[in-house]
Amino acid sequence: MKENSVLEMRHIYKCFPGVRALQGVDFTLGKGEIHALMGENGAGKSTLIKVLTGVYEKDEGEIYLDGLDKPAVIRSPQDAQRLGISTVYQEITLCPNLTVAENMYIGRGTGRLTNWKQMNTDADRILTNLGIPAKAQQQLSDCSIAIQQMVAIARAVDMDCKVLILDEPTSSLDESEVEKLFGLMRDLRARGVGIIFVTHFLDQVYEVCDKITVLRDGQLVGEYVIEELPRVKLVAKMLGKELDDMEEIKDETNVYHGDDAYVFEAKGLQSEAGIKPFDFYIKKGEVNGFTGLLGSGRSECVRAIFCADKVTGGTVQMNGKPVKLTKPLDAMKNGIAYLPEDRKLDGIVGDLSVRENIILAAQVLKGFFKPFSRAEANAFADEYIKLLEIKTASADTPIKSLSGGNQQKVILGRWLLTHPEYLILDEPTRGIDIGTKIEIQKLVLKLASEGMSVTFISSETDEMLRTCSRLVVMRDRRVVGELSGFDLTQGKVMETIAGGDAS
Amino acid sequence: MTLKKHISVSKQIFIPIAALVLLAVFNLLVDPAFFKISLGHNSAGDPVLTGYLMTILDYGSEVAILAIGMTLVTAASGGQDISVGAAVAIAGSVILRILVGIGGDGSLRAPIFVGFLAACVVSMLFGAFNGMLVAVFKIQPMVATLILYTAGRSIAAWINNNELPIVTDKSFTYFGGFIPGIPIPTPFFLAVVCIVAALLALKFTNLGLYTQAVGINASSSRLNGINPVFIKWLSFVLLGLCVAVVGLIKTSRLSSINYSVIAKDIEMDAILAVALGGNALSGGKFNIMASIMGAYVIQFLTTTLYKFNVSSDALPAYKAVVVILLVVISSPTVKDKLIGLQKRMKQQKGGGQS
Amino acid sequence: MTKAQTAKSGPASAKTKMTDTNLLLLITVIVFIIMYAGAMLFLKKGFLKPQTFLNILNANSALIITSCGMSIVMITGGIDISVGGVVALVSMSCAVYLDYQGGSVFGSLLIALGIGLAFGAVQGFLVAYLDIQPFIVSLAGMFFARGMTTIVHTAPFNVANEAFVALKGARILIPGLGTVTKAGKYVDAYVVLGVPVALLIVVLLFLVLRFTKLGRSFYAVGGNRQSALMLGINVKRTRFLAHLLCGLLAGIGGYVYFLYVGSGSASHAGGMEMNAIASSIIGGTLLSGGVGNIFGTFVGVLSLNTIQNIVSSIGLDDAWWTGITVAGMLCVFLIIQSVLLARKR
């Protein structure tokens, strides 16, 4: 073990059925160092972290910790905690039914009894110190998501850890909260804690981190000191290719040439998911998009259009005629198709075959009493497997055994089969390989050129700039701007997202 | 992959068939007379076939009919309806109330099919009640149906004011017994009718696809225009229909009813049939024919136990052991462990050879 | 307890909303008080006598104990419907041991505890370590217990063992709460031995759930299993212990039941699992886990029996009303919970 390092992971291997998630990854974390772990979705970051925290057991490799002469044995989250590794996960991993203080202290220490009064006082003190607006005895589920996240951080901070892992903790925090968190991280660094920081926001990496380790496809790309790795290079390392591949579909599409007829128009649309009423339209053959940070309400907007969340107000017109949409089926009948953000939860029907997944929406549109014949279903499935180059052993294979990208193509095929007038794609490129991403972007442009209207959402702004001719910008669940033509630049988008109060 | 699929489908049917073969071989070895079928005459002088196999065909049909509905409920809701026994009591009570009534003399006051239709309506209403608790109020199915499980037999007794109406009309006995001139028990034909109806429904509607989609991923189904609440609710209503048929058979057998005993523990058999058919009790994909096979296998087991003089009260203990063995073997954790063990043994073997 | 703490931690906490557990408990307690007060006001009859209330305790101490076990399992997000069967099996086994094998009272108590622990351990193992649905496991457990009861002994019979009969007849007199009969004779109020046992268990478990790590782990596991794991709780062991505890309590409850009825029968404690679940739910234990309170469960048992008493004292004393009333009350509380949860999300 090197001098000054608090954690070393050597030759970590981890396989899941059909996926080699980690292949001989090395990772070193120094004392008092904030170390960014970067990589695209599916690069192996989460797996590496879950190996370190005992959620997964590694297949091979060793983990060394400061103060231990032997390789550390981490078989469970308890083991990890005991060894001084604490973690804050992206999704809230606290118990909503317990109080804030209980969430901070449960699962720690050795005694059978706890002095609850002491615990509540301690918790209140820590919360005050960190400036977290929560009370020790409040039930966690009564706090906002951001505060819950802060509580998770407070718990981790209080555990006297040697290694602190922050797995995308900032995705639900606003700017001032992020600042608070960074202040906290710097304090801990000064105290000699090693921090592993996983995030998708490059700005944040360059703001607080000392070192960067990049993973790609389960392999280590390299470890770099932050000053030596400019952003462009970092992106190139993460993607594993120079940007040429993507260049080819750039340019000319950015201006909308079609006629001015609105395919879909909404006024004052509002849903249960808590977005402010918004107006929206799309023209025939247009590609537009919603942009904004995660949690800004962009998904909620398209969900409201498709009636995926209960619509609570507003009027909708399709091709100039007012229509009443109350449930997804209404939207489908009016030629709207929606590829949801969460593929696993809302998209695939895991145990059903690729064929059944492809025909599902079209079948529902056709009616309960009119099932497709076997031959028809086969023909449809084969058509889209071929068209979208879906890699599957057969149409009978359960969709869950396909890779993420191919699952996404199946869902895309499902909606194309309904021949929609208006296609909504919410994060169609998340968590899939770069080749498929480009294929999907190209397909979007092709569909639009054939007259389909498409709304495209992606966390990656450049992807949206490449495909969309108009961007609706969201902040805090509100539409704050609209960009088109020459305004469609990275800088302008960022500026609009940040808003007036940032400048 | 195609090959793999064939294996997985045939594997599902294979479980009940293997169990059936096992039981058959056991009986063959212990006492081949088990398989004897003889032609006799019942008290009315009509020809009837008797023997253990006929008993299985007769009583297994009740479970088979319930298994159809239970399979749908399981697939759609990921839980089971444990109130079917009590619901059968209600259905039977309704039939008797319509046919004979309180203080009746036993002669039919209404045509049998009217009584049956009334039972269908009432059973489907109770199914709708269960379905509403599960689908609308999102209460776990087994707990939601616990309500009717408790109240059902009381309601059944209440319908007939706790009297035990007796039907004297002979034609009423046909449904649970024999139709004159046909030596095969009628419940079997009723089961065939239900099975055919179910298969036709699966073939000519999207019931199967919708139910499976809802059971596997309700959220995703909703975004594809399916109404998961309705589909779950519907499965309970359809189970209600199956319950009414069994209610008819059960009351016909006795020409009367015993509120606390009628169809006792039949929910256990129906659930077991679904499990034995290789259907996941957590919902999703299903195979109706496998469940039906499972139902007859369970009756085979029951009849075998009876033959060995196990009292009907002690029967549940044996079945419980079968259930536990079944769920333990099919639990993913155990499966993983077994696969791991297999791998290790292979590795050891490989190591030994090299 | 909560009130005192809230007051101490200053005005800031005044805004703190009530936890789900306390809210549901409050509903239960209010419903019970209104029900009993209403009965005292309008029905009078027996409800004014303290002994009527004590009789509810006397007759239901076994149910209180098993309901406590049920609540714990339900708080961890599970369910155990085998408790009624276990109670019947315990009664029958102890009866046979005492009368046919010449056993001692102490020995029979050990048998009761052993049976309870065995059921708890096996079911807990299947649920926690093999990850099988608790309902299926305990359904099988229930059928196994019921079947075993008749295998142990088929016909019901009363226990004649002298030491046992003496114990069964033991009454703890409570001075001051007695009533004067029509003949003018003063009769002391009393409770049977099971009552202090049940009350002790309620208090003990209340403290365990509220103040120990294990207790809070039950809540954590029921609230969100994945999170609990990430927070460093041994989820499997916690679930196992919940079922083990429930089994043990079913064993103790079985013995208290046996002590009350003094006989063995295969039909004993029929539907007790149902009453235990109903009591837990009425007492504010959430089916989905994570929320519940032992004191609430205790009140739940009392509510359940009070409403049965009320129903029968207004003339609806046909046998079937009991089942329908319990089911109706359960249904109402289930829907309250469901609506409450839906509102929160």
Side-chain angles (χ1 to χ4, degrees):
Chain A
M1 199 149 164
K2 275 185 219 152
E3 194 75 5
N4 263 338
S5 60
V6 63
L7 165 79
E8 281 184 29
M9 300 175 82
R10 292 280 162 262
H11 310 295
I12 305 293
Y13 284 85
K14 175 73 196 172
C15 282
F16 295 109
V19 191
R20 292 160 76 186
L22 292 175
Q23 302 168 51
V25 171
D26 289 345
F27 181 79
T28 309
L29 178 68
K31 261 187 201 135
E33 169 182 292
I34 301 179
H35 197 135
L37 186 58
M38 303 293 291
E40 286 219 288
N41 285 314
K45 294 168 300 186
S46 315
T47 315
L48 187 70
I49 282 171
K50 287 189 169 158
V51 164
L52 183 57
T53 53
V55 178
Y56 297 152
E57 255 185 90
K58 59 187 187 297
D59 295 342
E60 270 175 62
E62 267 108 45
I63 300 174
Y64 299 95
L65 279 166
D66 185 29
L68 282 177
D69 3 326
K70 294 183 297 203
V73 182
I74 304 174
R75 288 231 174 81
S76 67
Q78 291 103 296
D79 289 346
Q81 276 186 19
R82 223 171 291 132
L83 292 166
I85 301 170
S86 34
T87 318
V88 175
Y89 293 94
Q90 174 185 14
E91 65 275 29
I92 308 289
T93 50
L94 299 175
C95 293
N97 58 326
L98 299 184
T99 66
V100 169
E102 282 173 345
N103 269 299
M104 287 169 66
Y105 287 95
I106 204 160
R108 297 165 52 182
T110 45
R112 294 228 170 274
L113 284 163
T114 313
N115 184 343
W116 297 98
K117 218 163 132 193
Q118 181 68 36
M119 185 189 84
N120 283 332
T121 331
D122 288 352
D124 265 329
R125 203 193 60 236
I126 295 163
L127 292 170
T128 319
N129 283 349
L130 299 180
I132 301 169
K135 294 278 159 293
Q137 290 184 42
Q138 206 173 358
Q139 190 170 328
L140 189 78
S141 59
D142 289 335
C143 302
S144 73
I145 297 291
I147 291 176
Q148 295 190 19
Q149 188 72 280
M150 300 290 276
V151 170
I153 293 166
R155 173 187 163 96
V157 167
D158 186 52
M159 282 171 53
D160 283 329
C161 49
K162 284 186 274 190
V163 178
L164 175 64
I165 302 165
L166 301 172
D167 187 357
E168 299 202 40
T170 54
S171 49
S172 55
L173 302 187
D174 70 26
E175 234 164 289
S176 64
E177 287 165 332
V178 169
E179 267 319 307
K180 221 175 267 168
L181 173 66
F182 285 173
L184 209 68
M185 284 165 71
R186 291 190 185 105
D187 282 355
L188 291 171
R189 171 169 64 186
R191 278 197 256 155
V193 176
I195 300 176
I196 303 175
F197 186 46
V198 182
T199 180
H200 274 133
F201 301 105
L202 296 187
D203 291 344
Q204 297 181 353
V205 171
Y206 284 91
E207 195 178 334
V208 287
C209 294
D210 305 309
K211 275 189 185 166
I212 303 179
T213 291
V214 180
L215 298 182
R216 190 192 334 122
D217 299 333
Q219 284 167 325
L220 178 69
V221 176
E223 189 197 282
Y224 313 90
V225 177
I226 196 112
E227 290 83 14
E228 293 166 9
L229 192 72
R231 280 174 201 228
V232 187
K233 275 212 177 142
L234 171 59
V235 173
K237 300 258 185 234
M238 283 164 64
L239 297 182
K241 52 180 91 186
E242 299 308 321
L243 298 171
D244 308 345
D245 294 1
M246 290 175 272
E247 297 293 329
E248 55 180 289
I249 54 165
K250 221 176 169 179
D251 298 333
E252 80 275 10
T253 48
N254 274 12
V255 183
Y256 173 67
H257 297 296
D259 50 42
D260 280 344
Y262 289 173
V263 167
F264 174 92
E265 190 185 7
K267 283 213 159 52
L269 203 58
Q270 205 179 350
S271 84
E272 263 190 340
I275 34 166
K276 302 284 177 319
F278 69 100
D279 298 341
F280 177 77
Y281 68 88
I282 189 162
K283 297 175 191 169
K284 191 169 164 56
E286 186 188 4
V287 182
N288 66 8
F290 282 92
T291 185
L293 296 176
L294 220 68
S296 61
R298 49 180 207 216
S299 291
E300 285 79 357
C301 282
V302 289
R303 284 180 73 91
I305 292 172
F306 191 70
C307 305
D309 296 325
K310 198 172 172 213
V311 175
T312 52
T315 54
V316 173
Q317 293 196 338
M318 290 291 299
N319 294 316
K321 282 187 219 92
V323 285
K324 180 115 187 79
L325 306 182
T326 52
K327 52 183 192 290
L329 188 59
D330 298 338
M332 287 162 66
K333 281 183 178 152
N334 279 290
I336 305 176
Y338 165 64
L339 185 139
E341 178 187 17
D342 192 325
R343 184 177 58 231
K344 223 178 198 162
L345 211 65
D346 293 336
I348 66 168
V349 183
D351 289 314
L352 290 188
S353 66
V354 169
R355 180 194 317 108
E356 287 164 316
N357 268 289
I358 287 179
I359 64 161
L360 190 59
Q363 178 68 78
V364 171
L365 272 177
K366 197 178 172 209
F368 183 77
F369 292 103
K370 294 176 201 145
F372 287 125
S373 71
R374 187 82 181 173
E376 280 174 304
N378 277 333
F380 286 139
D382 291 343
E383 182 188 340
Y384 281 92
I385 289 174
K386 217 167 131 199
L387 182 76
L388 300 173
E389 295 172 1
I390 299 169
K391 290 190 193 66
T392 173
S394 83
D396 287 318
T397 313
I399 190 172
K400 64 178 178 187
S401 57
L402 268 57
S403 73
N406 282 306
Q407 288 182 2
Q408 197 66 289
K409 285 182 183 175
V410 171
I411 308 299
L412 198 57
R414 172 196 291 170
W415 290 112
L416 293 182
L417 180 59
T418 65
H419 304 294
E421 254 184 294
Y422 174 29
L423 176 64
I424 302 168
L425 302 172
D426 193 355
E427 298 261 19
T429 56
R430 177 194 276 184
I432 62 180
D433 60 282
I434 194 108
T436 315
K437 277 186 185 183
I438 291 167
E439 270 175 56
I440 288 180
Q441 291 170 33
K442 280 184 183 162
L443 184 74
V444 165
L445 294 174
K446 183 169 153 279
L447 291 170
S449 70
E450 289 164 9
M452 197 183 286
S453 310
V454 183
T455 294
F456 186 90
I457 294 181
S458 169
S459 303
E460 293 167 48
T461 316
D462 54 334
E463 223 173 71
M464 297 192 67
L465 291 175
R466 241 176 282 129
T467 45
C468 301
S469 60
R470 183 162 59 93
L471 284 184
V472 178
V473 184
M474 309 264 324
R475 188 195 327 130
D476 296 338
R477 310 193 156 245
R478 193 193 301 274
V479 173
V480 291
E482 201 175 293
L483 303 171
S484 58
F486 293 111
D487 286 341
L488 284 177
T489 60
Q490 192 94 27
K492 190 79 188 169
V493 172
M494 290 299 171
E495 212 171 277
T496 320
I497 289 176
D501 25 28
S503 56
Chain B
M1 222 20 125
T2 332
L3 190 72
K4 203 172 174 185
K5 196 224 151 170
H6 282 298
I7 290 171
S8 77
V9 165
S10 61
K11 202 162 94 190
Q12 208 176 342
I13 289 270
F14 173 77
I15 302 170
I17 290 180
L20 191 64
V21 170
L22 209 70
L23 279 168
V25 169
F26 174 76
N27 276 304
L28 201 61
L29 292 178
V30 177
D31 182 9
F34 188 86
F35 295 95
K36 209 175 121 210
I37 295 175
S38 49
L39 188 66
H41 292 276
N42 64 5
S43 53
D46 294 316
V48 293
L49 289 171
T50 53
Y52 287 114
L53 287 185
M54 280 298 130
T55 311
I56 293 167
L57 215 54
D58 193 356
Y59 287 86
S61 296
E62 294 172 358
V63 182
I65 293 168
L66 289 178
I68 296 171
M70 191 65 83
T71 308
L72 290 177
V73 165
T74 302
S77 72
Q80 286 75 38
D81 182 342
I82 61 161
S83 70
V84 288
V88 166
I90 295 175
S93 193
V94 167
I95 292 175
L96 292 178
R97 173 74 202 240
I98 299 280
L99 295 188
V100 184
I102 297 168
D105 58 356
S107 59
L108 291 183
R109 287 183 183 174
I112 292 170
F113 79 89
V114 173
F116 175 63
L117 277 184
C120 287
V121 171
V122 171
S123 298
M124 284 163 84
L125 281 176
F126 277 107
F129 172 74
N130 281 337
M132 183 188 74
L133 290 180
V134 171
V136 180
F137 291 102
K138 314 232 176 308
I139 300 169
Q140 298 158 26
M142 295 197 257
V143 179
T145 52
L146 212 50
I147 294 174
L148 192 57
Y149 174 87
T150 330
R153 291 177 192 279
S154 299
I155 294 172
W158 172 72
I159 288 171
N160 274 310
N161 207 13
N162 215 8
E163 288 177 18
L164 304 174
I166 296 166
V167 183
T168 47
D169 196 288
K170 228 185 116 263
S171 61
F172 187 64
T173 61
Y174 296 163
F175 301 96
F178 296 85
I179 297 168
I182 300 172
I184 295 169
T186 320
F188 179 66
F189 295 112
L190 289 175
V192 169
V193 169
C194 290
I195 294 165
V196 169
L199 292 181
L200 286 178
L202 289 176
K203 173 121 180 95
F204 290 106
T205 72
N206 282 312
L207 184 66
L209 180 68
Y210 282 25
T211 307
Q212 298 189 45
V214 167
I216 297 166
N217 189 339
S219 163
S220 168
S221 311
R222 197 176 71 84
L223 293 181
N224 281 293
I226 301 173
N227 184 345
V229 172
F230 177 73
I231 295 292
K232 282 183 193 172
W233 181 81
L234 183 67
S235 70
F236 280 89
V237 174
L238 291 177
L239 176 57
L241 203 56
C242 301
V243 162
V245 178
V246 176
L248 177 68
I249 296 175
K250 281 286 187 193
T251 40
S252 167
R253 285 192 200 282
L254 275 182
S255 285
S256 184
I257 194 166
N258 181 335
Y259 301 112
S260 57
V261 175
I262 182 176
K264 195 160 176 283
D265 299 344
I266 207 168
E267 54 272 358
M268 176 82 163
D269 283 350
I271 295 169
L272 197 51
V274 175
L276 204 59
N279 300 297
L281 289 180
S282 49
K285 285 197 82 95
F286 68 86
N287 183 336
I288 288 257
M289 281 316 284
S291 297
I292 291 163
M293 272 304 286
Y296 286 104
V297 171
I298 287 158
Q299 193 55 47
F300 207 120
L301 173 69
T302 310
T303 309
T304 308
L305 287 171
Y306 274 137
K307 187 171 170 288
F308 287 95
N309 288 328
V310 172
S311 84
S312 66
D313 286 332
L315 210 58
Y318 296 90
K319 280 191 195 160
V321 173
V322 177
V323 177
I324 285 298
L325 284 178
L326 211 66
V327 289
V328 166
I329 292 169
S330 59
S331 106
T333 320
V334 176
K335 262 187 198 159
D336 287 351
K337 290 248 163 74
L338 285 178
I339 291 169
L341 204 72
Q342 219 172 9
K343 260 189 198 162
R344 231 169 292 153
M345 288 196 4
K346 260 186 200 160
Q347 271 173 3
Q348 275 178 358
K349 250 189 201 165
Q353 279 164 359
S354 63
Chain C
M1 200 74 217
T2 321
K3 246 184 200 162
Q5 282 175 357
T6 315
K8 253 179 222 162
S9 48
S13 305
K15 277 185 297 183
T16 310
K17 271 199 258 167
M18 201 180 262
T19 57
D20 291 347
T21 304
N22 291 347
L23 180 65
L24 288 171
L25 176 64
L26 192 69
I27 294 177
T28 311
V29 172
I30 290 174
V31 167
F32 171 69
I33 291 174
I34 290 175
M35 224 158 54
Y36 207 90
M40 282 166 112
L41 270 177
F42 297 110
L43 296 171
K44 299 197 168 89
K45 288 187 195 166
F47 286 100
L48 288 172
K49 286 187 209 158
Q51 187 61 43
T52 308
F53 180 77
L54 293 180
N55 277 344
I56 293 181
L57 287 181
N58 285 342
N60 292 292
S61 39
L63 180 60
I64 292 171
I65 297 170
T66 47
S67 299
C68 287
M70 183 71 77
S71 295
I72 291 172
V73 171
M74 281 170 66
I75 285 170
T76 62
I79 198 162
D80 182 349
I81 59 167
S82 72
V83 292
V86 173
V87 167
L89 181 59
V90 164
S91 303
M92 184 62 94
S93 307
C94 292
V96 168
Y97 174 72
L98 285 173
D99 269 19
Y100 291 88
Q101 323 240 317
S104 68
V105 171
F106 180 69
S108 67
L109 185 60
L110 287 185
I111 287 181
L113 297 182
I115 291 173
L117 279 176
F119 268 84
V122 172
Q123 296 187 149
F125 175 77
L126 293 173
V127 169
Y129 292 96
L130 297 188
D131 216 8
I132 303 172
Q133 285 183 41
F135 201 101
I136 293 291
V137 168
S138 58
L139 187 73
M142 163 172 130
F143 280 86
F144 185 74
R146 291 268 173 216
M148 278 312 285
T149 309
T150 56
I151 292 173
V152 170
H153 193 86
T154 314
F157 67 99
N158 285 321
V159 176
N161 182 305
E162 277 171 23
F164 176 78
V165 171
L167 198 64
K168 173 179 167 355
R171 290 176 172 189
I172 303 167
L173 299 181
I174 303 174
L177 288 179
T179 40
V180 181
T181 60
K182 279 184 190 138
K185 204 178 138 205
Y186 180 81
V187 184
D188 265 323
Y190 71 92
V191 291
V192 293
L193 281 182
V195 176
V197 176
L199 293 180
L200 185 70
I201 285 175
V202 168
V203 171
L204 213 61
L205 287 177
F206 178 81
L207 295 176
V208 165
L209 282 191
R210 196 159 181 119
F211 294 109
T212 65
K213 282 219 165 113
L214 181 66
R216 298 324 286 176
S217 300
F218 287 146
Y219 285 90
V221 168
N224 185 333
R225 211 179 294 163
Q226 192 60 31
S227 292
L229 184 72
M230 300 286 198
L231 289 175
I233 291 167
N234 190 335
V235 173
K236 285 181 178 171
R237 200 187 62 190
T238 308
R239 294 180 81 198
F240 174 77
L241 285 177
H243 280 273
L244 188 70
L245 206 53
C246 181
L248 176 65
L249 289 169
I252 299 174
Y255 200 80
V256 169
Y257 185 90
F258 176 55
L259 205 54
Y260 186 71
V261 296
S263 61
S265 161
S267 61
H268 269 348
M272 190 191 241
E273 58 280 347
M274 175 64 197
N275 284 333
I277 293 171
S279 302
S280 293
I281 289 172
I282 293 169
T285 310
L286 221 52
L287 270 172
S288 44
V291 175
N293 187 308
I294 290 295
F295 182 66
T297 305
F298 175 64
V299 178
V301 174
L302 297 183
S303 303
L304 203 61
N305 283 282
T306 307
I307 195 145
Q308 283 176 15
N309 281 359
I310 291 174
V311 166
S312 64
S313 67
I314 55 178
L316 301 172
D317 48 1
D318 297 295
W320 62 73
W321 282 110
T322 311
I324 294 176
T325 319
V326 174
M329 191 154 171
L330 179 67
C331 185
V332 168
F333 272 83
L334 273 175
I335 290 175
I336 289 179
Q337 286 191 2
S338 164
V339 170
L340 202 73
L341 276 185
R343 193 182 49 88
K344 280 217 110 161
R345 293 207 176 114

